[in-house]
Amino acid sequence: MEEVSKDPVQFSKGINLSELMTSETEFHIDLDFKKSNVNPMINADEDLFPDMDEEGDSDTEDVLKRIEESTDKMMLSSPDYHSFEKLAVNMIDCVASGDVKILVIEEGDGPLVPVDAEVTIHYAAYWEKAKIPFDSTLTMNQGAPKRIRLGAGNIIPGLEIGLTTVKGPTARFNLLVQPAAAWGPRGVPPRIRPEPALFVIVLYDVKDNQAAVRFNDLPTEEQTKFETTSKTVKALRMDAKELFQKRKYSKAMKCYQQAMTVLSMAHPKTAEEQAELKDNRVKIYVNLAVCYYKLNKPKYVLLMCENLDKIIDINNHCKALFYCGRANEQLGKIEEAIKYYKKALKLEPKNTDIGKALAAIDDKIKKSEKKETEMWQKVFNTEVKEKKVYAVDQDFQNDVLSMCEDLSKREEHSKFELPPGLMKEEVECIKGLVEGFSNLVVSEEVRGNAKKLTIIKKSYP
């Protein structure tokens, strides 16, 4: 273990920053952690850390090698440089003191990260010239990206400052953090040195929790700017989506309604902004319809679809048509529901949800018909016989029926002798059709190896 501790060694669990900054902490190195720490963002067939089958220095080297490979795959490996001093030349100060410097590798596609946002990141922290990180999110939460609420004191100041300096999500950047903006000038011996640390960071997601509050505090002139409304609506829609996934439909609906109010204040100036505004309105109306459906308020679902129809042709929007069908089904208007489902299915023939909805309605109709039949059977104390299907052509059946009707109408006793050589299916058909006439019977007479069949019209006194 003395040899192992000379170089940075991966922890089986992540560092608790609160413990580091408030108390003395002991760390125990575990070289026998298994496949449970697998990053779901890496190919599932590749283990982040291999099983340890043998003991010795080669095992330690293998672990460190795998850690280095995993940081490469997640774009968290340490960059090439001669020293932190030379690396800092290409970086920009995040604060006037120079305690936090940043180098943006890949710019994010949104606005600056708010100081009170909730971010999802991966990071790896390195000492100068080290190839293996002394701390990384890859060893936390089974390797999943870490979700952090900014402004809550959960991370070191330098990391928080850097995160609020970039645009997100989907940003990649490096932070060089001095001890004063990290764990303090003395570090946290023996593990955390009183030295600068390099953080390699990938920002995956940004959730603006206070967008609506900030929007309300802005002057009207700022609120009407399309950039402001677009940013606020995006945050509100993200909140609504998360609430919907938690089945908090009423709260999700309020977020969508708030987003629609914000959109009403937007002043788009370009065709691109107008298209974005229209797209937002369409999506919000559809999502409101879904929320109302979940809350069993079909009339409001149809109202949302009516509002949507004023913006686009609803007959070209599969999801809107589908929920029109859902709403009509809730209202008991089955024929209307089927009409909308079929329109939606025409737009997306392979949509399984629409197919299931139509199949469910068909099943309900069949069950309803069966119940109605049973009810009338009880009323009249009789059985309704199902129409039999015979394996003969329709012309043969029509001829037999015509003959039976003719015999049945005669006043006198009559009979009709059937020709020999009839097939089994034809005989079954004749017997079945004759059963439908109360005054007709089929007589069978055996003659040698053959049967003589006769339809007889019974005479009553």
Side-chain angles (χ1 to χ4, degrees), residues 2 15 27 72 91 149 186 198 244 282 287 396 399 421 448:
E2 187 176 342
I15 294 174
F27 298 96
D72 284 340
M91 305 182 88
R149 185 183 293 276
R186 292 186 299 175
L198 177 66
F244 184 89
V282 168
N287 290 334
F396 180 87
D399 289 342

Side-chain angles (χ1 to χ4, degrees), residues 311-324:
I311 304 174
I312 60 168
D313 183 359
I314 199 173
N315 289 311
N316 294 323
H317 198 290
C318 180
K319 192 171 182 179
L321 290 171
F322 177 74
Y323 278 95
C324 280

Side-chain angles (χ1 to χ4, degrees), residues 181-409:
W183 294 282
R186 292 186 299 175
V188 186
R191 181 61 190 169
I192 303 301
R193 307 172 188 171
E195 300 175 9
L198 177 66
F199 287 82
V200 181
I201 303 168
V202 178
L203 176 61
Y204 294 103
D205 188 41
V206 178
K207 183 185 175 187
D208 190 351
N209 295 305
Q210 301 297 320
V213 175
R214 276 195 293 273
F215 181 84
N216 292 333
D217 292 339
L218 293 172
T220 305
E221 183 181 346
E222 187 66 26
Q223 286 180 335
T224 56
K225 289 182 180 180
F226 189 80
E227 182 182 354
T228 304
T229 56
S230 178
K231 174 185 174 182
T232 306
V233 167
K234 182 179 179 182
L236 286 167
R237 284 180 58 194
M238 286 179 67
D239 284 344
K241 183 177 180 181
E242 187 170 309
L243 288 166
F244 184 89
Q245 290 171 342
K246 294 178 180 178
R247 300 185 180 181
K248 297 179 180 180
Y249 305 124
S250 294
K251 290 183 178 181
M253 190 175 63
K254 288 179 181 178
C255 281
Y256 283 127
Q257 290 170 337
Q258 197 170 5
M260 192 63 80
T261 301
V262 173
L263 280 177
S264 67
M265 302 179 68
H267 289 168
K269 295 180 180 179
T270 66
E272 185 178 358
E273 289 178 349
Q274 289 174 348
E276 183 181 336
L277 177 65
K278 180 180 177 180
D279 182 62
N280 268 313
R281 281 179 172 163
V282 168
K283 288 176 179 176
I284 291 172
Y285 273 131
V286 172
N287 290 334
L288 278 170
V290 178
C291 287
Y292 279 123
Y293 167 73
K294 292 291 187 180
L295 293 170
N296 198 27
K297 295 184 177 181
K299 291 183 179 179
Y300 288 97
V301 175
L302 295 177
L303 180 60
M304 294 303 103
C305 291
E306 286 176 14
N307 291 336
L308 182 62
D309 201 31
K310 295 174 184 177
I311 304 174
I312 60 168
D313 183 359
I314 199 173
N315 289 311
N316 294 323
H317 198 290
C318 180
K319 192 171 182 179
L321 290 171
F322 177 74
Y323 278 95
C324 280
R326 286 292 203 203
N328 277 287
E329 191 176 349
Q330 284 182 331
L331 290 167
K333 299 179 180 179
I334 302 303
E335 290 185 4
E336 280 292 298
I338 292 172
K339 182 183 75 174
Y340 281 111
Y341 286 147
K342 286 184 176 179
K343 282 184 179 181
L345 192 63
K346 191 174 181 180
L347 294 176
E348 294 185 14
K350 296 182 179 180
N351 191 307
T352 56
D353 288 333
I354 304 171
K356 288 177 181 178
L358 283 167
I361 284 184
D362 186 55
D363 187 52
K364 285 180 183 178
I365 291 173
K366 287 179 179 178
K367 287 180 179 178
S368 178
E369 289 176 346
K370 185 178 180 181
K371 286 181 180 179
E372 186 177 357
T373 300
E374 291 173 351
M375 180 189 71
W376 285 111
Q377 285 175 356
K378 290 178 181 178
V379 171
F380 294 105
N381 196 25
T382 183
E383 292 185 1
V384 179
K385 294 183 179 179
E386 294 183 1
K387 187 177 179 181
K388 293 183 179 179
V389 178
Y390 302 103
V392 296
D393 60 53
Q394 193 62 46
D395 289 339
F396 180 87
Q397 293 185 54
N398 292 339
D399 289 342
V400 173
L401 279 173
S402 178
M403 180 264 295
C404 288
E405 288 171 357
D406 180 60
L407 274 175
S408 179
K409 291 175 183 178

